[in-house]
Amino acid sequence: MRIAIQRVTKASCTIDGEITGQIEQGYCLFVGFCDTDTPLVLEKMAKKVIGLRVFSDENGLMNLSIEQVQGKILSISQFTLYANCRKGNRPSFVNAAKPEISKPMYEQFNDLLAKSVPVETGVFGADMKIDLINDGPVTIWMDSEEMFGS
């Protein structure tokens, strides 16, 4: 599982001119899955996202979690996080989980996050337009294989 986390002051997802998800302060997550991801990986990654301390405290230090600042999450499915660009100029996506595997994982991951903070989403597999203001900018990359060996 891979996640690109962007700390945002606001973010939204639009499909065919209609906003499907919108937040103010919080995270815009771009989330991708591979075939070896498990429910345990989803739990660990959700816990890590919620526990990250990247919001500023009263001294301007990144010391607060998304829960502590009462932030929200906009979660966007993005299989392109598994792009392999080693050969040629056209990326390969063979390492990304197929939709029948990744869609239930995406939904389960969002449910895990929603136990702690409000979660808005895009629409799985749709052509989405994401608008965001990256705060900082703060962008964090998490790869479950690098973090947990799975």
Side-chain angles (χ1 to χ4, degrees), residues 8-15 18-24 27-30 73-76 120-122 128-133:
V8 298
T9 55
K10 66 179 182 176
S12 64
C13 175
T14 304
I15 301 171
E18 182 179 332
I19 294 175
T20 63
Q22 183 173 337
I23 65 165
E24 295 296 324
Y27 294 142
C28 183
L29 304 181
F30 297 97
I73 290 175
L74 175 63
S75 177
I76 305 297
E120 299 275 327
T121 66
M128 298 175 272
K129 307 301 181 212
I130 309 303
D131 186 28
L132 61 88
I133 298 177

Side-chain angles (χ1 to χ4, degrees), residues 109-120:
F109 179 68
N110 291 333
D111 289 344
L112 290 166
L113 294 171
K115 291 179 180 179
S116 299
V117 298
V119 176
E120 299 275 327

Side-chain angles (χ1 to χ4, degrees), residues 83-93:
N84 183 333
C85 300
R86 290 186 183 117
K87 294 184 180 181
N89 292 319
R90 183 171 184 215
S92 168
F93 300 104

Side-chain angles (χ1 to χ4, degrees), residues 30-119:
F30 297 97
V31 186
F33 302 92
C34 69
D35 290 337
T36 59
D37 289 331
T38 65
L40 182 58
V41 167
L42 301 180
E43 289 175 27
K44 287 180 176 181
M45 293 292 271
K47 184 176 180 182
K48 187 62 92 169
V49 168
I50 297 300
L52 282 177
R53 295 181 352 188
V54 297
F55 291 92
S56 297
D57 64 13
E58 64 278 355
N59 297 314
L61 300 174
M62 287 198 296
N63 202 26
L64 300 176
S65 71
I66 192 167
E67 285 181 296
Q68 291 172 305
V69 299
Q70 298 177 327
K72 298 179 181 178
I73 290 175
L74 175 63
S75 177
I76 305 297
S77 62
Q78 189 167 352
F79 75 93
T80 59
L81 292 175
Y82 276 94
N84 183 333
C85 300
R86 290 186 183 117
K87 294 184 180 181
N89 292 319
R90 183 171 184 215
S92 168
F93 300 104
V94 297
N95 293 327
K98 302 290 184 254
E100 59 271 13
I101 294 171
S102 56
K103 184 177 181 183
M105 284 194 272
Y106 173 65
E107 292 168 352
Q108 182 180 358
F109 179 68
N110 291 333
D111 289 344
L112 290 166
L113 294 171
K115 291 179 180 179
S116 299
V117 298
V119 176

